Amino acid sequence: GAGVSQSPRYKVAKRGQDVALRCDPISGHVSLFWYQQALGQGPEFLTYFQNEAQLDKSGLPSDRFFAERPEGSVSTLKIQRTQQEDSAVYLCASSLTWSSYEQYFGPGTRLTVT
Amino acid sequence: AQSVTQLGSHVSVSEGALVLLRCNYSSSVPPYLFWYVQYPNQGLQLLLKYTSAATLVKGINGFEAEFKKSETSFHLTKPSAHMSDAAEYFCAVTSDSSASKIIFGSGTRLSIRP
């Protein structure tokens, strides 16, 4: 079956540009998570949705980062005025219910800010 | 605050040898613990999870892990390494403040020598 998909897989942005990263979760999954994975590090939590509600955005590093999931399915992570420190792999994950600890991860979007 | 420490950023074993990847955690409440595997250019895949049932947890691909509360450890083992086990492995724990948030360790890269 279809897993979590993310697009684009690779994105190069010039410093100061805005970017939008898309996540298509597994159909019917209630919860959706965004993580940032710097080179050589483990994923770090950014934000979490239950359906369309953003319940936790404590991991977003600055107000330049914004995430939405307006219809409770597809989600977009937007980064405004990108900086070099934003270069990382951005991972999306989904889980079936709010109480499910089994998260299914997408392949990630590798963002390089030049 | 909870945290995860993975001892050894890189482990190398011979094909057929025992694999032991170490993970220690800190948590003020009974945790749920996970091991994820990440192959190059792919998303994370759940290997196994501990959710307060049996302390010895069996996962996919012949891996298992034992939850030891007294040692605050959750080490991952496999009796006989296979070349296809070469990947990055991440230990993770649920957050004290939010059951939906997962805290990852920095990862251990496993290499298999022929």
Side-chain angles (χ1 to χ4, degrees):
Chain A
V4 178
S5 61
Q6 293 185 245
S7 61
R9 290 293 312 276
Y10 303 91
K11 177 69 178 178
V12 178
K14 292 188 189 303
R15 191 161 58 99
Q17 284 185 331
D18 297 349
V19 297
L21 312 180
R22 176 188 170 107
C23 172
D24 285 81
I26 294 173
S27 178
H29 276 199
V30 167
S31 298
L32 185 145
F33 306 82
W34 283 99
Y35 295 86
Q36 181 190 59
Q37 186 176 19
L39 190 63
Q41 299 296 315
E44 291 196 3
F45 172 86
L46 292 177
T47 187
Y48 155 61
F49 290 86
Q50 186 177 319
N51 295 309
E52 69 278 5
Q54 190 174 19
L55 298 186
D56 188 339
K57 53 182 181 180
S58 61
L60 296 176
S62 78
D63 58 7
R64 296 186 296 105
F65 286 71
F66 172 76
E68 60 183 5
R69 194 186 185 198
E71 296 179 359
S73 55
V74 171
S75 178
T76 304
L77 176 67
K78 298 179 179 178
I79 308 173
Q80 297 176 325
R81 305 181 303 282
T82 52
Q83 303 294 317
Q84 281 195 317
E85 61 263 28
D86 300 335
S87 295
V89 175
Y90 290 85
L91 296 168
C92 175
S94 69
S95 65
L96 182 60
T97 69
W98 69 270
S99 61
S100 170
Y101 297 102
E102 186 160 348
Q103 296 184 17
Y104 294 83
F105 281 80
T109 295
R110 182 178 297 277
L111 173 64
T112 303
V113 181
T114 61
Chain B
Q2 60 289 134
S3 64
V4 175
T5 302
Q6 292 186 241
L7 297 175
S9 59
H10 182 208
V11 170
S12 179
V13 302
S14 297
E15 190 174 18
L18 171 72
V19 175
L20 170 61
L21 304 183
R22 299 178 188 274
C23 172
N24 289 86
Y25 69 92
S26 67
S27 179
S28 58
V29 299
Y32 287 6
L33 293 153
F34 313 84
W35 275 98
Y36 281 85
V37 60
Q38 187 175 35
Y39 298 101
N41 297 317
Q42 294 186 29
L44 281 75
Q45 180 182 7
L46 181 67
L47 270 181
L48 49 81
K49 62 182 178 184
Y50 165 76
T51 56
S52 73
T55 56
L56 182 62
V57 182
K58 294 187 184 299
I60 61 172
N61 302 338
F63 284 93
E64 62 182 37
E66 186 172 7
F67 172 67
K68 291 187 177 181
K69 184 178 179 181
S70 61
E71 299 177 8
T72 60
S73 70
F74 191 57
H75 301 330
L76 182 70
T77 59
K78 181 174 180 177
S80 177
H82 191 272
M83 296 299 291
S84 62
D85 295 328
E88 188 89 18
Y89 291 81
F90 294 94
C91 182
V93 64
T94 44
S95 165
D96 290 346
S97 60
S98 169
S100 298
K101 184 187 296 187
I102 294 179
I103 311 297
F104 286 85
S106 57
T108 297
R109 182 162 61 91
L110 176 64
S111 299
I112 312 296
R113 301 188 301 270

